[in-house]
Amino acid sequence: MIRGLGFRLPLALALLLAPAAPAAAYDVKEIGSYYLGGHMVHVEGLPKQEVQFSTGAPVASYDPNGDVETGQMYVQVVRLTAPLATLPLVFFAGAGFSGSVWESTPDGRPGWQQYFLAHGFDTIVPDAVGRGRSTWSRWPQIYSAAPLFRTAQEGWALFRIGPHYDSNPAKRQAWPGEQFPVQAWDNLVKQFDPRWTTIDGPTQDAYNALVQRECPCILIAHSQGAAFAIAAAVRAPDRVRASVGLEPRFTPDPAKLDTAKLKGIPMLFIWGDNIDKDPAWENRLANPQKFEAAMRAQGNRFDWVSLPERGIHGNSHMLMMDRNSEQIADIVRDWLAQQGFVH
Amino acid sequence: MIRGLGFRLPLALALLLAPAAPAAAYDVKEIGSYYLGGHMVHVEGLPKQEVQFSTGAPVASYDPNGDVETGQMYVQVVRLTAPLATLPLVFFAGAGFSGSVWESTPDGRPGWQQYFLAHGFDTIVPDAVGRGRSTWSRWPQIYSAAPLFRTAQEGWALFRIGPHYDSNPAKRQAWPGEQFPVQAWDNLVKQFDPRWTTIDGPTQDAYNALVQRECPCILIAHSQGAAFAIAAAVRAPDRVRASVGLEPRFTPDPAKLDTAKLKGIPMLFIWGDNIDKDPAWENRLANPQKFEAAMRAQGNRFDWVSLPERGIHGNSHMLMMDRNSEQIADIVRDWLAQQGFVH
């Protein structure tokens, strides 16, 4: 069922992926993390087993029955000694990704977390419930269904890397002018976290708790993360001072949302190139456009940035990882400065 | 730097968990992460499904067949502008935990990562393969067996918190003088990551690759992590300059190890209190003691610290999270300074 793929990175490519120059240094007051939300549930009726937990450990009796936690969220915080921004940034990753997408790019450049730290913002980077360091719960006892694993094939198409994926890197085809660092594609695949489709409720609860704890703040959300971010803003509009969506294709239909709650919150949506090449293109922008119209109609500051219309071509769905990721970050930072969030 | 654990804790407990003094600020050159190791495998023969991936998303066809990554490791790095230590610390978490155990304590105090950063050490914090942000692979197609979930009951006994766990916190019993912050127990349970017993091989491979990338260095390993750390040192003795084990109960039998390779590497093992209260006590120290003897016999610098014999009582298995975690960190830092690793 499984066969190994024997490709190795050629030397020339390894050199291409050499680390970029480090960002400017910054003075840090705190690097830490915590877990929030969740609750204990009791598992019972499962058979005991005899198990050797680790190489060298004795065989031990293992009882899977008892109290386990579910619904909790891991949150990593970095606070600067003297931030230049008036509010922290809270990051929401897209479906099937943990907060690691904000830390670095697949080709080894500094990620948006470091960019914004170097520019004076505190950063709050959670892992969504069931992903990354938040850990996950057994099914069918706690989660109701098995997770879905994203393949490299699916990601290549969905993230608009190119028209043809092949297991052999030499045979892959990227879109002309593609901004995603295509040679580092396999490093992105290493980040794919199993997707749970049945835990949106506890995930939203944890994000809401996060906003209660860390905000007033600014939300920076990628893809599916924007649906959670917008719902969190509706829930706590007094705490969310601005919301930025990177290709927020799952923006909820504003007709199903109490959009009046969002009045006064400035918003920025940014879109890359080749969106009509998305295999699920049809109506992908319908909800985001309806949402934009609803926000404008009630007087919100709302900026819709299509990068190709600004002359910036070739961006994939993974804007914060593309070769011009700093240029996109500059757009966000300039916009935040315009809104008065930088001293 | 405690952000209150707060929202569910009664006031009296919230006061007990009042903030510790903030750590000294430090100048950071880089906060980032990368993935290393792993390889692509091809999954085939699984049925396609119709799936709604996210609330609000259209129903889409999902094909689980294709290329996926397995065996990769997430690595978080924090590098200081002007480290005081001559070498970085590489942390190995115990079984069923990700690197988050080093970031903070369950009662919200700074973790060892921040302690050592504040004292001038660069820190390298990986998540073992299959845990945390390293993500995990489906079974039985890739991993050969299902994971084992640790219950609160199992952890309470195994980590030597006390003689009796109860789902009701008020009915739990801790050992007299227990150093683990018992009131924050449920926050530790939130960190429990499913345990895989069949992936020690790829896990060791990834740790070996990490040592190749980040060392010369000093290894700091907790519990099961020490088995991986010692094996990594045997594999690359020129790169490992010191090794610290926090209750390394799964130290391999030195008769099954090429211990001569470790000649010249100074080692420190630290043990807490109540070890005979471990439910799997029998012979728990047999291999560590044989290992110590083998190291001493070949002239290694080897320090075996029993905290109770030093008058430090009540420490649990989770030394780096106990109420006196800074005192334990001081012991490690003093020892590293004695070995000449601090300017």
Side-chain angles (χ1 to χ4, degrees):
Chain A
M1 179 158 282
I2 305 293
R3 54 167 207 269
L5 302 175
F7 304 109
R8 292 264 187 280
L9 211 57
L11 179 61
L13 175 53
L15 292 174
L16 271 180
L17 301 181
Y26 37 87
D27 206 40
V28 165
K29 186 171 67 178
E30 181 192 3
I31 295 175
S33 65
Y34 55 84
Y35 284 76
L36 104 182
H39 62 283
M40 286 272 199
V41 294
H42 191 77
V43 173
E44 56 192 12
L46 295 176
K48 293 185 186 180
Q49 297 172 242
E50 296 295 307
V51 175
Q52 186 185 28
F53 280 101
S54 305
T55 307
V59 173
S61 176
Y62 162 66
D63 184 353
N65 302 295
D67 296 345
V68 294
E69 187 78 12
T70 191
Q72 72 275 27
M73 174 181 270
Y74 165 85
V75 183
Q76 188 216 34
V77 299
V78 184
R79 300 188 212 276
L80 299 170
T81 305
L84 299 174
T86 59
L87 296 171
L89 303 180
V90 178
F91 289 88
F92 291 61
F97 287 109
S98 72
S100 68
V101 291
W102 305 106
E103 288 186 322
S104 61
T105 68
D107 55 342
R109 290 168 292 123
W112 274 29
Q113 182 193 28
Q114 186 160 186
Y115 172 95
F116 281 102
L117 284 168
H119 286 94
F121 290 77
D122 288 353
T123 60
I124 313 295
V125 180
D127 290 348
V129 171
R131 304 184 211 162
R133 289 174 167 179
S134 294
T135 85
W136 52 279
S137 301
R138 64 191 313 148
W139 78 90
Q141 293 88 359
I142 302 175
Y143 292 172
S144 60
L148 304 173
F149 292 78
R150 178 178 280 148
T151 63
Q153 283 82 347
E154 181 191 334
W156 186 268
L158 195 66
F159 303 154
R160 309 193 313 271
I161 311 303
H164 177 70
Y165 173 84
D166 196 282
S167 299
N168 180 348
K171 293 184 178 173
R172 295 174 191 166
Q173 288 170 24
W175 295 116
E178 177 64 38
Q179 287 283 7
F180 186 86
V182 174
Q183 295 86 345
W185 170 254
D186 289 6
N187 283 334
L188 182 68
V189 179
K190 293 183 205 290
Q191 301 192 41
F192 289 3
D193 218 338
R195 291 166 297 180
W196 308 92
T197 62
T198 57
I199 60 170
D200 282 2
T203 302
Q204 188 67 56
D205 289 346
Y207 276 128
N208 291 345
L210 178 62
V211 165
Q212 289 301 316
R213 180 148 167 180
E214 293 290 351
C215 304
C217 64
I218 295 156
L219 310 185
I220 309 277
H222 178 232
S223 194
Q224 179 214 34
F228 293 118
I230 290 168
V234 169
R235 179 70 172 265
D238 54 319
R239 289 176 179 268
V240 175
R241 299 295 159 80
S243 184
V244 175
L246 305 181
E247 297 213 346
R249 354 186 243 203
F250 301 125
T251 301
D253 182 343
K256 298 175 183 170
L257 211 63
D258 187 359
T259 50
K261 286 269 174 58
L262 302 174
K263 202 168 157 67
I265 301 176
M267 297 193 183
L268 169 65
F269 280 10
I270 304 182
W271 304 90
D273 206 349
N274 299 315
I275 291 199
D276 59 346
K277 308 292 199 327
D278 179 337
W281 153 251
E282 200 180 358
N283 290 326
R284 198 62 125 183
L285 296 185
N287 280 346
Q289 285 166 341
K290 276 193 263 180
F291 184 81
E292 177 197 21
M295 290 298 103
R296 287 185 187 279
Q298 68 181 20
N300 280 59
R301 165 83 193 243
F302 196 103
D303 292 276
W304 178 290
V305 172
S306 163
L307 294 172
E309 289 174 13
R310 288 203 178 190
I312 300 170
H313 297 284
N315 277 106
S316 77
H317 185 54
M318 307 304 291
L319 296 169
M320 66 287 195
M321 294 175 163
D322 283 348
R323 290 182 285 113
N324 61 344
S325 59
E326 278 208 25
Q327 187 181 21
I328 318 291
D330 286 342
I331 292 172
V332 173
R333 186 166 59 94
D334 287 349
W335 184 85
L336 291 173
Q338 284 167 29
Q339 313 310 316
F341 295 119
V342 182
H343 288 302
Chain B
M1 297 279 74
I2 297 230
R3 297 123 319 220
L5 289 169
F7 62 95
R8 282 196 181 168
L9 294 177
L11 180 61
L13 175 54
L15 290 175
L16 272 181
L17 302 180
Y26 38 88
D27 206 40
V28 164
K29 186 172 68 176
E30 181 191 3
I31 295 176
S33 64
Y34 55 84
Y35 285 76
L36 104 181
H39 62 283
M40 287 272 199
V41 294
H42 191 79
V43 174
E44 57 193 13
L46 295 175
K48 293 184 185 180
Q49 298 172 241
E50 295 296 305
V51 175
Q52 187 185 28
F53 279 102
S54 305
T55 307
V59 173
S61 176
Y62 162 65
D63 185 351
N65 302 295
D67 296 345
V68 295
E69 188 78 13
T70 191
Q72 73 274 28
M73 173 180 270
Y74 165 84
V75 183
Q76 189 216 34
V77 299
V78 184
R79 300 188 213 275
L80 300 169
T81 304
L84 299 174
T86 58
L87 296 172
L89 302 180
V90 177
F91 290 89
F92 291 60
F97 287 109
S98 72
S100 68
V101 292
W102 305 106
E103 288 187 322
S104 60
T105 69
D107 55 342
R109 289 169 292 121
W112 275 27
Q113 183 194 29
Q114 185 159 189
Y115 172 94
F116 282 101
L117 284 167
H119 286 94
F121 289 78
D122 289 353
T123 61
I124 313 296
V125 180
D127 290 349
V129 171
R131 304 185 210 161
R133 289 174 166 178
S134 294
T135 87
W136 51 280
S137 301
R138 64 191 315 149
W139 77 90
Q141 294 87 0
I142 301 174
Y143 292 172
S144 59
L148 304 174
F149 293 79
R150 177 178 280 149
T151 64
Q153 283 82 348
E154 181 191 334
W156 186 269
L158 195 65
F159 304 155
R160 309 193 314 272
I161 311 302
H164 177 69
Y165 173 84
D166 195 283
S167 299
N168 179 349
K171 295 185 178 172
R172 295 174 191 166
Q173 288 169 24
W175 295 116
E178 176 64 37
Q179 288 282 7
F180 186 85
V182 174
Q183 294 88 344
W185 169 255
D186 289 7
N187 282 334
L188 182 68
V189 179
K190 292 182 205 291
Q191 300 192 41
F192 289 2
D193 218 337
R195 290 166 296 181
W196 307 93
T197 62
T198 56
I199 60 171
D200 282 2
T203 303
Q204 188 68 56
D205 289 346
Y207 276 128
N208 291 345
L210 178 61
V211 165
Q212 288 301 317
R213 178 147 167 179
E214 293 291 350
C215 303
C217 65
I218 295 156
L219 310 185
I220 308 277
H222 178 234
S223 193
Q224 180 214 34
F228 293 118
I230 290 168
V234 169
R235 180 68 173 265
D238 54 319
R239 290 174 178 268
V240 175
R241 300 295 158 80
S243 183
V244 175
L246 304 179
E247 297 214 346
R249 352 185 245 204
F250 301 126
T251 301
D253 183 342
K256 298 174 182 169
L257 211 62
D258 187 0
T259 49
K261 284 270 175 59
L262 302 174
K263 202 167 159 64
I265 302 176
M267 297 193 183
L268 169 64
F269 280 11
I270 304 181
W271 304 90
D273 206 350
N274 299 313
I275 290 196
D276 57 348
K277 308 293 199 325
D278 180 336
W281 155 251
E282 200 180 356
N283 290 326
R284 198 61 126 186
L285 296 186
N287 278 346
Q289 285 165 341
K290 275 193 263 181
F291 185 80
E292 178 198 20
M295 289 299 104
R296 286 186 189 278
Q298 68 181 21
N300 279 61
R301 165 81 192 244
F302 195 102
D303 291 276
W304 178 291
V305 172
S306 163
L307 294 172
E309 288 174 14
R310 286 203 179 190
I312 301 171
H313 296 284
N315 276 106
S316 77
H317 185 55
M318 306 304 291
L319 296 169
M320 66 290 195
M321 293 176 164
D322 283 348
R323 290 182 286 111
N324 62 345
S325 58
E326 279 207 25
Q327 187 181 18
I328 317 293
D330 286 342
I331 292 171
V332 173
R333 186 166 59 93
D334 287 349
W335 184 85
L336 291 173
Q338 283 168 27
Q339 312 313 315
F341 296 120
V342 182
H343 287 301

